[in-house]
Amino acid sequence: MTESTPTNHPTSMRTHLCGALRDADVGSTVSVCGWVGRRREHGEHLAFVDLRDHSGIVQCVINDDVDVRSEYVLRITGTVRERPEGTMNDALPTGRVEIGDCEVEILRSATPPPFPIDARADDVDENIRLKHRYLDLRRERMQKNLRLRSKVNTAVRYAMDTQDFVEVETPMLVPSTPEGAREFLVPSRKEPGSFYALPQSPQLFKQLLMVAGVDRYYQMARCLRDEDLRADRQYEFMQLDMEMSFVNQDDVLDVVSLAVLAAAEAATGERPAPIERMTWHDAMNRFGSDKPDLRFGMELQELTAVFAQTEFKAFSGATAIKGIKIDGGASEFGRNQLDKLTEKAKSAGAKGLVWLKCTDDGFDSPVAKFLSDEEVPEVKDVMGADTGDLILIVADAWDTTCQVLGMIRNEIARPPVHEGPYRYVWVVEFPLFVGRDKETGQPKSGHHPFTMPHPDDIGKFETDPMSVRSIAYDLVLNGWELGSGSIRIHEPELQRKVFQALGISDDEAEKKFGFFLNPFEYGAPPHGGFAFGLDRLVAILAGEENIREIIAFPKTQSGADPMTDSPIVGDPKSMAELGLKVLPPTT
RNA sequence: GGUCCCGUGGUGAAGUCAGGAGUUCACGCCGGCCUGUCAAGCCGGAGGUCGCGGGUUCAAAUCCCGUCGGGACCGCCA
C-alpha cells in the first residue's frame, strides 16, 4: 500500500489528525486528539508524549508537570515546530516535527491496557486480544485492516454500480432449505414450533429477482453457515452476491473480474493482470486441486504411459500414475519425513507414496529394484529430474492420484499467503456431479442442482453422468477459493433431466424445490451469477493468514465471542415465550 | 465426529523430556532520580490457585487420568 499523508477532517475538537502533521505545518497552532502511546519523562519540566490516533502518532513536548498515563485520552493544543537538529526520527512519518508549548486537556483517564497497543500484541494470545478487541483494534495493524476492508467494499460497490447493477437487500429471516450447509435456526414467537433460518446465501431470492426482471442484481450480503470454523471460515461472512439475465459465462466472468480487479487495485495500488482461465480438469491434472495455487511450480507430471508395461504391482493396477519433483530434495528429506508424507498420503486415500531419490546411475529408493532399465531414464526424462532431486509418485484412481499429490505439493512448497505475487485464476468447466451418495449410489451435485450442464455433454447423461461438465466456475486466488457461480437452468425439461440423474423424483422435486422453481413457470430469463467472499479477498490483500484479522469482532474456532461471552444460556422467560425447552445432551 | 499443538504474575517467554521451596529473563505496572528522548536511561518495589479436578509420590508447574479454554488441520462447508 502507498504511504500517503492522512486527510484532515477538522472537528470542533481538533484541527489535525496526529499522523497528518508534516514540515509544511511548522509554525501553525494545532489541536490534536488521541490516546497516550508512550511517554518519556525527563524530570519535572520535560516529557515527550506520543499521541496516537488511527492515522499515526505525533510527538508532543510537554514542559509542565502533567500526569498522563498509558491510553489516557487527550486533547493537546500547541505549536508545530521542527525538531531540533539531530533529534529527527525518520522511522515516523511525523518524525521531522513535534508539537510544542502544549496545553494538555485530559478527556478521559484510563486503566493500563492488558497488552501493549502496538506490534508487540501480535504475539499476544488471540483469546486475550479478542476479549479486549476494542483495544486490539486500536493497533495500527488492525486499523489498517479495517480500512483496507472498507476500501475493498467501496471499490466493489462502485464497480458493480458503474456496470448498472442494482443493489437489492434480501431477507435475513428465510425458510429453511434442507440441502447444503447446516443452518442457524430462529424460533418464531408467533408460531411456536416453527422456525426461520438465517440465509446461507441469497441464492433463492437472487434468482427470483431475475424472474422479476431486475436484470442485474448485486448485494453485499451477509451469509451464515453453522459449520465448523477454520482460519478461512467464520459462521457469518460477507459475499459480493450477484446475478444477471440474458448472459453466458463470459458475461458473468467479465463483470466479476472487473469488480475483483478494482478491489485489488484499491487495496494495493496496482491493477492485477487480466485473470487467466483454467479448466477444472487441467487444474486437477497439473496442480492436483480445484483451487490451484499458481504462485509456485512443482506441477504434477504424467507417468501412466511410462509404466504401461511395469512389473511393479503397486503401479500395474493403477489407472493414473503421476509424480512431482522436489529440486534438490534428495538430501533435504530424510526417512522420517518421507514416512510422514507417506502417512499423510495414505490418510488422504492413497494406497501409498513412492519416493525416488535421483542418483547418477538410477534411483535410491526401496522400490528401485522393481523399475526396469527402460523405465528409469524415462521417469527422469518426464520429470526433468537431475541427480539430487526427489521424486514422489502416487498411483491410484485418477482423482485420488491428483488430489493426494496436490495435497503433498501444497504441504511441501506452498508459500505463506502474504507472499506475492497475487495469482488469480478462473477455474471453469467443473463437473456437474461429484461423487456418489453412499446409500443410493446416485451422483451428487457438484455445485447445486440448478447448475446448467455443459451443452456438449447433454448426451452423456445416461451413458457417463460423472463426465458431464457444467457451466460452473470458481474464482481462486493464491490457493484460496474466493467464490463460485454458475449459469442456471431456466428450462423445466433440462431441470427434470438433472433431477432424474440425481435420483430426485418429480414429486420430491416439487416438495423440496417447488416454491423456488414454480415461479420460473411465469417466465424465467436465462441467467447466471456468482458470489465471492469479501473476507477472504481482504485477508489475502491484507497479507493475513486468518480472516479473523480482518473482521472487527470475529468468533473463535468454537464459535464463541470472548468479549461478549456469547453464546449465552437462553433466558427462561424468552424460552417459554418461544415455546422452547432444552433437552439434556445426548451422550 | 477425528488427529495434532498450546495453557507458568497484567503481557511474552524459560523451567516440564530427566519430580526436590513459585526459580529466572524481558516488557508492562507503582514509587524515586533525570531538560532532547523516541520500544528513553538509572535505582527501588509490588504483583502467582503454574487453566481446573483427581491420582501416583516423602515431595508435582514437571509423571498419569479426566476436564475446560485456545489454535492448526481432516470430516463438514450443495
Side-chain angles (χ1 to χ4, degrees):
Chain A
M1 224 189 330
T2 47
E3 289 293 342
S4 56
T5 308
T7 311
N8 284 309
H9 297 283
T11 68
S12 50
M13 295 193 74
R14 69 179 173 203
T15 61
H16 288 73
L17 290 172
C18 295
L21 296 172
R22 294 291 184 275
D23 278 335
D25 299 302
V26 168
S28 44
T29 301
V30 299
S31 292
V32 291
C33 295
W35 287 262
V36 175
R38 305 205 134 258
R39 70 208 144 92
R40 298 173 288 280
E41 288 178 21
H42 295 252
E44 275 182 33
H45 301 294
L46 177 66
F48 300 99
V49 168
D50 288 339
L51 198 68
R52 183 195 66 240
D53 63 22
H54 69 84
S55 68
I57 65 174
V58 63
Q59 173 166 285
C60 304
V61 185
I62 296 172
N63 297 109
D64 313 318
D65 187 17
V66 195
D67 189 27
V68 292
R69 304 297 173 107
S70 284
E71 301 308 314
Y72 274 30
V73 184
L74 306 184
R75 175 170 185 250
I76 291 181
T77 303
T79 311
V80 180
R81 63 191 189 202
E82 195 167 61
R83 292 196 189 188
E85 195 65 35
T87 64
M88 304 210 173
N89 184 351
D90 291 332
L92 281 180
T94 61
R96 298 183 56 79
V97 298
E98 63 188 13
I99 301 178
D101 309 321
C102 289
E103 186 190 315
V104 177
E105 194 180 332
I106 297 175
L107 302 175
R108 182 68 161 91
S109 62
T111 314
F115 50 80
I117 311 299
D118 58 36
R120 285 172 293 184
D122 289 349
D123 298 324
V124 170
D125 189 292
E126 199 187 349
N127 210 29
I128 292 165
R129 289 175 55 206
L130 289 178
K131 193 175 177 123
H132 305 276
R133 190 59 155 181
Y134 40 87
L135 295 178
D136 191 33
L137 291 175
R138 259 183 215 168
R139 304 189 304 128
E140 186 187 359
R141 172 189 181 191
M142 303 308 280
Q143 288 285 332
K144 241 181 176 158
N145 286 353
L146 289 181
R147 287 179 157 73
L148 181 85
R149 185 184 178 114
S150 173
K151 267 198 159 49
V152 166
N153 284 350
T154 304
V156 166
R157 272 214 165 89
Y158 182 77
M160 297 310 284
D161 188 61
T162 50
Q163 296 182 94
D164 286 325
F165 279 73
V166 180
E167 179 158 27
V168 181
E169 289 114 348
T170 54
M172 290 297 284
L173 296 173
V174 301
S176 170
T177 47
E179 309 290 309
R182 190 179 295 122
E183 297 167 320
F184 286 95
L185 288 177
V186 180
S188 155
R189 175 175 56 86
K190 297 266 190 198
E191 288 183 43
S194 293
F195 296 84
Y196 302 97
L198 300 176
Q200 321 167 22
S201 87
Q203 185 68 31
L204 147 73
F205 292 98
K206 71 171 171 178
Q207 289 193 242
L208 295 182
L209 285 172
M210 295 303 101
V211 177
V214 169
D215 202 274
R216 296 183 160 212
Y217 143 91
Y218 86 102
Q219 181 180 191
M220 308 296 264
R222 188 174 296 271
C223 304
L224 297 106
R225 294 180 188 172
D226 187 5
E227 297 290 351
D228 287 356
L229 275 31
R230 287 279 203 289
D232 61 351
R233 278 162 31 187
Q234 281 276 306
Y235 281 150
E236 32 184 327
F237 57 99
M238 297 300 294
Q239 295 209 302
L240 168 73
D241 190 53
M242 61 84 78
E243 193 79 12
M244 54 199 302
S245 293
F246 307 111
V247 292
N248 65 15
Q249 172 177 288
D250 288 347
D251 298 311
V252 177
L253 265 48
D254 285 349
V255 165
V256 177
S257 291
L258 203 141
V260 169
L261 297 183
E265 186 177 11
T268 65
E270 233 171 278
R271 186 85 170 188
I275 302 175
E276 63 187 288
R277 292 189 198 183
M278 187 182 292
T279 65
W280 175 85
H281 196 268
D282 277 354
M284 293 304 292
N285 249 340
R286 292 172 54 196
F287 301 96
S289 170
D290 58 5
K291 35 185 185 187
D293 190 335
L294 269 38
R295 289 175 299 165
F296 64 105
M298 205 183 277
E299 293 191 24
L300 321 199
Q301 303 296 336
E302 183 57 52
L303 294 170
T304 317
V306 175
F307 291 110
Q309 310 298 325
T310 189
E311 304 281 307
F312 183 32
K313 265 196 207 151
F315 284 1
S316 59
T319 46
I321 304 173
K322 286 173 181 292
I324 53 173
K325 178 191 65 166
I326 298 110
D327 289 324
S331 52
E332 217 176 300
F333 284 77
R335 192 58 189 253
N336 212 330
Q337 273 171 292
L338 290 166
D339 284 349
K340 269 187 194 154
L341 280 179
T342 306
E343 269 318 301
K344 281 204 169 134
K346 281 184 178 167
S347 64
K351 289 179 200 74
L353 179 71
V354 166
W355 54 265
L356 309 169
K357 290 181 174 179
C358 299
T359 60
D360 287 331
D361 48 356
F363 291 125
D364 171 16
S365 165
V367 309
K369 55 179 177 283
F370 299 115
L371 305 186
S372 73
D373 293 345
E374 293 78 43
E375 284 162 359
V376 170
E378 265 189 81
V379 170
K380 281 193 177 176
D381 184 47
V382 170
M383 297 303 303
D386 294 316
T387 299
D389 292 347
L390 172 69
I391 296 171
L392 300 174
I393 298 177
V394 172
D396 219 298
W398 178 79
D399 47 351
T400 308
T401 297
C402 294
Q403 215 178 299
V404 170
L405 279 175
M407 185 264 294
I408 289 173
R409 171 180 177 269
N410 277 337
E411 182 89 16
I412 290 176
R414 187 167 176 206
V417 79
H418 56 79
E419 262 177 40
Y422 299 108
R423 292 295 301 270
Y424 298 83
V425 56
W426 286 110
V427 179
V428 299
E429 293 181 15
F430 267 73
L432 189 63
F433 305 112
V434 174
R436 286 176 186 274
D437 192 286
K438 274 178 208 128
E439 283 155 32
T440 64
Q442 300 281 1
K444 293 189 293 185
S445 274
H447 187 53
H448 58 58
F450 318 113
T451 304
M452 180 75 87
H454 197 289
D456 297 349
D457 296 351
I458 302 278
K460 294 199 273 189
F461 260 81
E462 282 78 27
T463 52
D464 187 9
M466 300 312 286
S467 76
V468 174
R469 291 167 296 169
S470 66
I471 314 292
Y473 30 84
D474 274 10
L475 180 60
V476 175
L477 170 56
N478 293 4
W480 276 28
E481 181 191 323
L482 283 188
S484 57
S486 64
I487 299 296
R488 333 291 184 186
I489 299 171
H490 70 285
E491 306 151 303
E493 272 313 301
L494 193 52
Q495 186 65 68
R496 198 164 299 133
K497 208 170 168 133
V498 171
F499 280 149
Q500 239 164 41
L502 290 166
I504 299 173
S505 69
D506 287 358
D507 276 359
E508 204 180 343
E510 170 61 31
K511 216 160 139 194
K512 269 186 170 168
F513 308 114
F515 67 97
F516 170 51
L517 292 174
N518 291 340
F520 280 33
E521 301 299 327
Y522 293 100
H527 63 286
F530 197 76
F532 76 79
L534 290 160
D535 308 84
R536 287 182 183 178
L537 177 63
V538 172
I540 295 175
L541 293 175
E544 297 287 2
E545 301 276 349
N546 195 305
I547 63 170
R548 292 191 295 272
E549 302 294 358
I550 52 93
I551 295 171
F553 300 105
K555 305 277 191 289
T556 66
Q557 199 168 67
S558 62
D561 175 3
M563 186 178 75
T564 61
D565 263 336
S566 69
I568 52 169
V569 173
D571 165 54
K573 224 172 127 187
S574 320
M575 300 273 287
E577 197 171 30
L578 294 164
L580 294 180
K581 204 170 163 183
V582 176
L583 299 170
T586 53
T587 37

